[in-house]
Amino acid sequence: MSPTSSSDGADRPTILVCDDERHIVRLIQVNLERMGYNVVTAFDGREALEKLETVTPILVMLDIMMPHVDGYEVLRSIRKNPATAKLPVIMLTVQAQEGDDLIGLELGADMYMTKPFNPQDLRRFLEQ
């Protein structure tokens, strides 16, 4: 998933980041942009699903607890849609109760990260 470099960012791969906490979105956005990615943001699950109709990201990062549509439902929608079914998804959440990660993984998440997270963990995932 390594990005290509471009002075205008036009050919940089896009990552969709969806979290209702704007400071978390900004932190992720800054880190991803430093790594060479274009970042599209959404602040609730409904907005994430709308963005997926017009944007073709290489990865989606989803919070679980969000207004309107939670991250699990967004993940279900991603996996049901043939156009996005194979899209890598990282679930990013403060939930750390036993079994939360299993639910996300059973629904098809590729990785589960608990907030606060280390940006180096994200970098390692993207470099795979």
Side-chain angles (χ1 to χ4, degrees):
M1 280 190 238
S2 295
T4 56
S5 56
S6 168
S7 58
D8 66 0
D11 62 347
R12 294 169 25 161
T14 298
I15 295 176
L16 173 61
V17 177
C18 182
D19 195 309
D20 59 332
E21 296 181 61
R22 291 181 184 271
H23 66 282
I24 296 291
V25 170
R26 183 68 183 138
L27 173 68
I28 295 169
Q29 181 177 15
V30 166
N31 278 285
L32 290 173
E33 287 174 348
R34 285 182 182 159
M35 289 184 235
Y37 294 94
N38 180 47
V39 178
V40 173
T41 60
F43 299 101
D44 63 59
R46 186 181 312 148
E47 185 180 5
L49 291 171
E50 289 170 0
K51 298 250 173 129
L52 283 170
E53 292 176 10
T54 60
V55 174
T56 306
I58 62 160
L59 172 72
V60 175
M61 295 186 69
L62 284 175
D63 185 22
I64 291 176
M65 300 302 295
M66 295 183 293
H68 308 297
V69 178
D70 70 22
Y72 291 138
E73 191 56 38
V74 174
L75 179 58
R76 281 184 193 98
S77 294
I78 288 171
R79 293 297 177 242
K80 285 180 185 175
N81 181 341
T84 59
K86 297 197 183 293
L87 183 62
V89 176
I90 295 176
M91 301 301 288
L92 181 63
T93 183
V94 295
Q95 291 187 349
Q97 294 184 356
E98 188 174 327
D100 285 341
D101 55 343
L102 293 177
I103 294 169
L105 294 172
E106 286 174 358
L107 290 173
D110 296 278
M111 185 177 182
Y112 193 93
M113 296 176 71
T114 303
K115 295 185 264 185
F117 71 97
N118 182 338
Q120 290 304 319
D121 291 338
L122 179 57
R123 179 182 294 275
R124 279 189 288 277
F125 179 84
L126 291 169
E127 290 174 349
Q128 292 181 16

